[in-house]
């Protein structure tokens, strides 16, 4: 969403920064943009040049005696560089690593000087507030959470994209009215807000208003403004593992709770999704999540356990099913899925035999094929290629069996 603001209307951000500079007496401003966003950089550079040409940036702005200019700094795509002290280190040319606070950047920031750090969307709101008046802005949204917020609405819904909504809008309205609800034949299960450091909010809580406080109360965060909608086809344990894999890789490695703790959490999640975990592992995972959250140095580590903590809070039974029944109800965790061939349906076409990379399928042409469970690596290729008219490959996970109905095509004419 920040990228889209810089690509679509960088003037708003520049104006917001000039107003902020006048407010705090700053002479230098920096826009930190990921190097992977060349269009955002290009458009911002053009807008900066236009502002300079019109005397809105540089020395003695509009003969006011105020000097202020803005520089674009390219960040090389490290997630942790969004953390404010790491961001400062990166601009100073050092490795992007957070440092303990205090001192906060407002006291001791860039090159030791007082520094105000704000998000692109925050700064883009400033000219609008000044122009329309704070009362007009506060009239949008709810008490304590005024104005609008842009979300990147994606996942298992009909309409995806960037949406700007008044704060306080119920999650349900965003997901069902704006997002258009579930895909055909599916049921929405939850929404992950706040990006990889955020949390998973179940469908039962969709009447919650989208505010900073209610999301935090639900165990998530507003964060980057991401909203990823998931349905019953998504395994929440796998989802938590996916996000933790990301944050663990992005850990700067400086503090042990984040570096070692998130790695240890991942090992436990691997065991759960592979069906080798015990209930004691689940306790350990929960305990570790709490420690990483409490003891990490910066926001990356503190928020990294959020996907695990929230999925444990709202979908604990799915973790237990993985452990006790070796069952993944979404049929996502490969090691927990067994493939067999239905002898009534198999016609020996050999499609599965040809795609099996591990010689786990045995059978002669036009005769029943069987899967050698000792050799099977659960890749699922056989299931994918088995002709829908036969649907002879059956998936089982724990107590659940997925028996697809053969698709019979209507004959021509
Ligand atoms: C790991 C991590 C990554 C972050 N990434 C971003 C980011 O990409 N963009 C951003 O504006 N803020 C990011 N933040 C938050 C900023 O550090 C900072 O708090 C925020 O930009 C302050 O602006 P605001 O008060 O206007 O929201 C991140 C924080 C952490 C801990």
């Amino acid at each position: 969403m920040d990228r889209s603001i810089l690509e679509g209307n960088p003037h708003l951000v520049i104006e917001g920064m000039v107003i902020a500079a006048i407010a705090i007496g700053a002479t230098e401003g920096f826009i930190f943009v990921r190097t992977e966003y060349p269009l955002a950089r290009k458009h911002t550079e053009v807008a900066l040049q236009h502002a300079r040409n019109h005397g809105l940036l540089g020395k003695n702005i509009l003969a006011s005696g105020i000097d202020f200019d803005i520089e674009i700094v390219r960040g090389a795509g490290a997630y942790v560089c969004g953390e404010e002290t790491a961001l400062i280190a990166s601009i100073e040319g050092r490795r992007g690593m957070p440092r303990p606070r205090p001192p906060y950047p407002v006291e001791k920031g860039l090159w030791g000087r007082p520094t105000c750090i704000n998000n692109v969307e925050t700064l883009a709101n400033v000219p609008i507030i000044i122009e329309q008046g704070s009362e007009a802005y506060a009239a949008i949204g709810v008490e304590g959470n005024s104005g609008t917020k842009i979300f990147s609405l994606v996942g298992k819904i009909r309409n995806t994209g960037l949406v700007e909504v008044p704060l306080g809008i119920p999650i349900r309205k965003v997901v069902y009215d704006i997002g258009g609800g579930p895909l055909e034949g599916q049921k929405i299960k939850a929404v992950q807000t706040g990006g990889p450091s955020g949390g998973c909010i179940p469908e039962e809580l969709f009447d919650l208003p989208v505010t900073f406080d209610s999301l935090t109360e639900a165990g998530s965060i507003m964060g980057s403004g991401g909203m990823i909608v998931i349905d019953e086809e998504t395994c929440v344990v796998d989802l938590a593992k996916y996000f933790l894999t990301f944050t663990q890789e992005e850990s700067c490695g400086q503090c042990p709770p984040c570096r070692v703790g998130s790695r240890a959490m991942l090992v436990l999640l691997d065991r759960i999704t592979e069906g080798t975990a015990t209930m004691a592992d689940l306790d350990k995972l929960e305990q570790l999540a709490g420690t990483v959250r409490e003891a990490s140095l910066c926001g990356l580590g503190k928020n990294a356990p959020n996907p695990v903590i929230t999925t444990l809070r709202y979908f604990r039974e799915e973790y237990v099913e993985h452990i006790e029944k070796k069952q993944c109800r979404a049929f996502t965790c490969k090691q927990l899925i067994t493939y067999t061939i239905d002898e009534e349906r198999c016609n020996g076409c050999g499609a599965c035999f040809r795609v099996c990379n591990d010689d786990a399928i045995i059978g002669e042409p036009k005769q029943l094929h069987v899967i050698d469970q000792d050799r099977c690596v659960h890749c699922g290729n056989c299931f994918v290629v088995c002709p829908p008219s036969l649907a002879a490959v059956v998936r089982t996970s724990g107590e659940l069996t997925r028996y697809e109905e053969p698709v019979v095509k209507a004959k021509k004419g």
Side-chain angles (χ1 to χ4, degrees):
M1 85 216 171
D2 293 328
R3 173 166 60 109
S4 75
I5 293 173
L6 287 179
E7 286 176 358
N9 193 351
H11 308 287
L12 264 186
V13 183
I14 295 169
E15 194 178 343
M17 288 180 73
V18 174
I19 295 167
I22 295 169
I24 65 168
T27 53
E28 276 179 274
F30 297 86
I31 300 179
F32 193 80
V33 193
R34 292 175 70 128
T35 204
E36 295 91 334
Y37 298 164
L39 197 62
R41 249 186 16 247
K42 188 174 156 197
H43 288 189
T44 309
E45 198 56 80
V46 170
L48 285 173
Q49 203 45 54
H50 285 172
R52 285 187 200 108
N53 293 347
H54 286 87
L56 297 166
L57 277 179
K59 294 245 172 268
N60 196 16
I61 293 174
L62 299 179
S64 61
I66 292 168
D67 299 340
F68 181 68
D69 210 335
I70 297 173
E71 193 184 309
I72 296 177
V73 178
R74 284 192 295 161
Y79 182 57
V80 74
C81 282
E83 196 283 337
E84 55 186 19
T85 59
L87 188 147
I88 288 171
S90 179
I91 295 179
E92 289 177 349
R94 293 180 288 121
R95 190 170 157 193
M97 302 248 260
R99 63 154 174 79
R101 297 169 306 167
Y104 288 92
V106 286
E107 298 151 357
K108 203 165 182 276
L110 197 59
W111 291 296
R113 312 271 181 87
T115 305
C116 164
I117 297 185
N118 276 113
N119 162 265
V120 161
E121 190 184 7
T122 306
L123 290 160
N125 276 327
V126 173
I128 297 165
I129 297 172
I130 300 269
E131 193 190 0
Q132 300 182 358
S134 56
E135 275 174 23
Y137 187 79
I140 307 168
V142 290
E143 210 185 328
N145 285 264
S146 41
T148 62
K149 178 82 195 74
I150 304 173
F151 288 96
S152 167
L153 185 61
V154 294
K156 305 289 191 67
I157 38 165
R158 288 167 196 267
N159 313 320
T160 57
L162 293 175
V163 296
E164 184 173 7
V165 293
L167 280 169
I169 187 174
I171 298 176
R172 189 174 302 284
K173 223 168 175 178
V174 179
V175 173
Y176 286 89
D177 295 358
I178 302 171
L183 302 177
E184 205 181 322
Q186 301 296 340
K187 190 168 170 284
I188 287 174
K189 187 169 176 177
V191 63
Q192 165 87 11
T193 73
S197 304
C200 206
I201 300 174
E203 215 267 348
E204 307 89 82
L205 297 185
F206 275 14
D207 289 325
L208 272 182
V210 177
T211 63
F212 287 88
D213 315 315
S214 62
L215 292 183
T216 308
E217 231 168 81
S220 189
I221 53 170
M222 190 77 80
S224 61
M227 274 199 186
I228 303 168
V229 181
I230 61 166
D231 62 21
E232 303 281 344
E233 299 278 290
T234 309
C235 168
V236 288
V237 186
D238 185 63
L239 184 82
K241 189 170 103 171
Y242 174 80
F243 288 126
L244 192 69
T245 303
F246 173 79
T247 38
Q248 189 266 329
E249 277 173 4
E250 293 291 325
S251 167
C252 79
Q254 189 183 183
C255 76
C258 177
R259 183 185 69 238
V260 184
S262 61
R263 178 89 205 112
M265 284 175 71
L266 214 46
V267 170
L268 292 168
L269 282 170
D270 274 338
R271 276 191 214 153
I272 296 171
T273 53
E274 284 166 7
T276 55
T278 62
M279 286 303 285
D281 285 331
L282 194 60
D283 292 341
K284 230 184 269 176
L285 178 67
E286 203 158 20
Q287 212 176 350
L288 259 173
T291 307
V292 173
R293 181 165 67 174
E294 291 305 314
S296 291
L297 172 69
C298 83
L300 190 147
K302 284 183 189 303
N303 289 309
N306 282 345
V308 173
I309 292 171
T310 48
T311 47
L312 267 173
R313 190 199 293 188
Y314 301 117
F315 301 99
R316 193 180 192 88
E317 70 283 3
E318 288 197 33
Y319 280 84
V320 176
E321 278 170 17
H322 278 69
I323 296 168
E324 294 194 330
K325 296 185 184 167
K326 314 288 175 223
Q327 175 177 305
C328 173
R329 62 168 81 170
F331 282 80
T332 303
C333 298
K334 278 187 176 177
Q335 295 308 314
L336 302 186
I337 304 172
T338 306
Y339 295 91
T340 48
I341 296 175
D342 184 313
E343 53 187 77
E344 306 265 295
R345 292 181 177 188
C346 177
N347 69 359
C349 72
C352 57
F353 179 85
R354 287 190 289 277
V355 294
C356 182
N357 293 323
D358 297 277
D359 298 332
I361 295 181
I362 308 150
E364 295 298 320
K366 305 222 183 299
Q367 285 177 22
L368 171 68
H369 284 55
V370 285
I371 300 175
D372 178 348
Q373 297 301 331
D374 291 334
R375 299 192 82 130
C376 176
V377 295
H378 315 265
C379 68
N381 284 351
C382 54
F383 179 81
V384 173
V385 298
C386 183
S389 56
L390 300 173
V393 179
V394 180
R395 297 187 291 177
T396 315
S397 185
E399 295 168 353
L400 302 174
T401 299
R402 277 239 182 135
Y403 221 100
E404 313 291 323
E405 285 306 315
V407 178
V408 185
K409 270 195 195 158
K411 281 195 183 136
K412 272 189 188 161

